[in-house]
Amino acid sequence: MAAPAIRIRNLVTRLGDRTVHNELNLDIRAGCLTAIAGSSGSGKTVLLRTMALLLPPVAGTIELFGQTTTTLSHSAERGMRGRMGVMFQRGALFTGMTVMDNVAFPLLEHTALPRSAVYEIARLKLRLAGLAPEAATLYPSELSGGMTKRAALARSLALDPELLFLDEPTAGLDPVGATAFDELIVHLRDLLGLTVILVTHDPVSLWEIADEIAFIGEGRVLASGTARTLARSAEPAVRGYFGGTRMQRARASWDQE
Amino acid sequence: MRVIRETPATTEPEPRLRWRVAQRRVVCSGDWSVARLAAVERQIRRNVPRTSGEWRINLDEISTLDTAGAVMVQWLCRRLRAAGATVRLEDVSAERNAVLKLAASELGTAPPRPRSNPLEQLGRKITSGCLGITEYLAFIGRLTADSLPRMLRPHRLRWHEIAVELERAGVMAIPIIGLLAFLIGIVMAYQSGDILQTYGANVFLVDLLGVIILREMGPLMTSVIVAGRTGASYTAQIGTMQLTEEIDALRTMGITPFEMLVLPKFLALLIALPLLTVWADAMGLLGGMLVSSLLYGLSFEVFLQRLPTVVPPNMLWVGIAKAPVFAALIASIGCYQGFRVRHSADEVGRYTTISVVQGIFWVIVADAVFSILLFSWLGL
Ligand SMILES: Nc1ncnc2c1ncn2[C@@H]1O[C@H](COP(=O)(O)OP(=O)(O)O)[C@@H](O)[C@H]1O
Ligand SMILES: [Mg+2]
């Protein structure tokens, strides 16, 4: 296998006086769908924000595409940001723009393409994310929860990122919508060759679409591997998480298939 | 693996289009990824020849093709077709084909939002302007209806919130208002003292400063500062709470936002503004006194002795009595504008601006009305 897309070594992050991660190590393989699991408040979102260059680490290194992020020049960092897309937990769509303008905005900022081309690309992204064309002219406050997620996904895909960070994309979706969203993510990964980092609690996502799961706890990666290996992990916290009834039900249905 | 876009050290060649007109072929090459497509787009827009017959497009030399690149390939095809040719893509790999297909089937455009004509916009502006007043009155009505029951039972008022607001709007404004009033006192004494001195009428400086500061400048200036400081913060706070659905959360708990948010602010400002006015009066007179004694030979003693004889006490009361009215205007306008925020962060900024501008506007209008009413009817 080629060099990992992301390599994290001895990462320490601190927010206020709370140490969220302590000596965390993690490799994320390119082209894979890596899920980050862990109980609420274990620091998944913080880890995602750190990888997405939104939060500088207190100590340790993060390498994205083989480059250490802490020593990047300004322009290199801008280039790096153009190669990743982030979908935030609450969508974070710009409330003053329509959905279409939300998706077009990063394109207008980062490329010299004329508006007609940008909007054509934006329409494609909206359709990729599974949004109806009618939704394009709506404002974020006029969207349902599921549409907000899709619009946020479309925007994170705007610049054709190689790295896609998704923070609990299926939380709050109906089961049908959640399954469709999972399928969409896998489809996009295959179609566009994305490296996807997915923070999720959804047992079905963990069992069915994750190539690899990193389980965060006590400020580090307690275990990593497929759902099957994690369910047999020696760590009690990990076994407890994967041995819960909801997890087991998801596993049972997965085993049947 | 790709090297960072936009950095000069990139190893991938520029995206290019080469027209082999004789062979009816277009050879595409280089890195067709979104950040570098602008040059290709220009070429497609400008260089498509008028032609007919079959053209072949070769994509083999393209090193990277992302979805934006695929859209550009489809644009090229569409341009050629529009120019009268038929187009065939030369053997494309299955993966690329999937991406290209995706870009090709995209033609269903969204219906544009209906645009209104200028006349309609004008009409809307006027009606919303007129309705704005009725909406504001409705807001006042609801505020009164929600607050009166509370006001009649003062032990049920939210004294804690009132105290917090009192601190923010009153106590924390003391330094800035004191300083500005002091400076304005200095400026006014300095400017008018010069003129009075030429007539040897230095002592009238006391009359002048007393009337202007106590009656007009004190309350007016305090209100303007409070409108900018506190009125704006009321709008921003309530507006943001609207966006994050906190207001709706309050409603579901059976707590009306008027009683929880507006009433404490309203009452706090009603208390704070008169007190701040007194403070501003004192600091303004102090500034005036300082200049009078330093430059125009009026000692503090002379000033303070003359002041009560030339400025009747009701002059002071008129000034202070105006303050609660101004406070009511500022608080109600600030809160009302906050509730108008519906959808976006833009609106928070917009309505905060409106809140300050309208707050100051109505304060000055009210002041003018006061002057005319009191002066012409009551002879004050
Ligand atoms: N801005 C912040 N300041 C202080 N602590 C924070 C901040 N954001 C998150 N935390 C804390 O960091 C921990 C991890 O948070 P988070 O990564 O959001 O958890 P989750 O794994 O549920 O996504 C939590 O205990 C949270 O209280
Ligand atoms: Mg989280």
Side-chain angles (χ1 to χ4, degrees), chain A residues 172-253:
Chain A
L173 290 186
D174 64 275
V176 180
T179 311
F181 208 95
D182 277 350
E183 281 166 5
L184 176 64
I185 291 167
V186 173
H187 175 68
L188 290 176
R189 196 264 322 258
D190 295 340
L191 188 69
L192 309 176
L194 298 174
T195 306
V196 183
I197 292 110
L198 171 75
V199 169
T200 187
H201 283 297
D202 189 338
V204 184
S205 307
L206 286 175
W207 279 98
E208 291 186 0
I209 67 168
D211 297 319
E212 181 152 334
I213 302 171
F215 188 91
I216 312 268
E218 301 165 27
R220 58 201 172 86
V221 177
L222 285 181
S224 63
T226 60
R228 193 168 277 280
T229 52
L230 289 196
R232 288 194 301 268
S233 164
E235 287 274 353
V238 181
R239 238 194 358 257
Y241 188 93
F242 281 87
T245 41
R246 288 170 65 83
M247 271 303 167
Q248 287 307 316
R249 252 178 258 152
R251 177 195 188 156
S253 74

Side-chain angles (χ1 to χ4, degrees), chain B residues 192-208:
Chain B
S192 38
D194 234 22
I195 299 171
L196 290 174
Q197 201 169 29
T198 53
Y199 297 100
N202 289 14
V203 78
F204 286 102
L205 204 51
V206 181
D207 311 36
L208 205 75

Side-chain angles (χ1 to χ4, degrees), chain A residues 41 43-46 89 167-168 199 201:
Chain A
K44 305 181 295 293
T45 301
V46 173
Q89 207 164 353
D167 196 352
E168 305 204 17
V199 169
H201 283 297

Side-chain angles (χ1 to χ4, degrees), chain B residues 235 238-240 242-243 336-345 347-349 351-352:
Chain B
T235 310
I238 293 178
T240 311
Q242 284 270 67
L243 287 186
Y336 166 66
Q337 297 295 347
F339 281 105
R340 289 179 68 192
V341 172
R342 282 278 136 41
H343 308 296
S344 70
E347 287 176 334
V348 178
Y351 289 126
T352 305

Side-chain angles (χ1 to χ4, degrees), chain B residues 14-86:
Chain B
E14 282 289 315
R16 280 187 66 193
L17 276 178
R18 271 164 301 168
W19 304 91
R20 303 262 185 276
V21 180
Q23 302 156 30
R24 295 179 172 280
R25 252 179 117 219
V26 187
V27 180
C28 308
S29 65
D31 172 18
W32 282 49
S33 60
V34 62
R36 304 176 70 181
L37 281 175
V40 163
E41 192 276 341
R42 264 194 307 278
Q43 279 196 45
I44 294 175
R45 197 150 25 102
R46 294 191 188 140
N47 299 357
V48 171
R50 290 235 132 258
T51 178
S52 59
E54 192 190 69
W55 276 71
R56 285 169 301 150
I57 299 177
N58 186 300
L59 306 178
D60 283 346
E61 290 175 37
I62 291 184
S63 52
T64 309
L65 182 74
D66 63 12
T67 51
V71 168
M72 278 306 125
V73 172
Q74 296 298 352
W75 272 41
L76 175 61
C77 296
R78 227 182 294 156
R79 285 282 165 139
L80 280 169
R81 284 196 196 106
T86 55

Side-chain angles (χ1 to χ4, degrees), chain B residues 233-290:
Chain B
S233 84
Y234 288 177
T235 310
Q237 185 202 343
I238 293 178
T240 311
M241 288 178 79
Q242 284 270 67
L243 287 186
T244 53
E245 299 181 329
E246 284 173 65
I247 303 269
D248 295 333
L250 279 178
R251 284 211 178 96
T252 59
M253 295 170 196
I255 303 167
T256 70
F258 294 99
E259 176 262 303
M260 168 87 194
L261 294 170
V262 182
L263 188 58
K265 293 187 188 339
F266 195 84
L267 292 179
L269 210 58
L270 227 48
I271 299 168
L273 201 59
L275 295 178
L276 286 173
T277 302
V278 174
W279 168 243
D281 288 347
M283 291 304 282
L285 284 180
L286 185 68
M289 251 159 48
L290 202 68

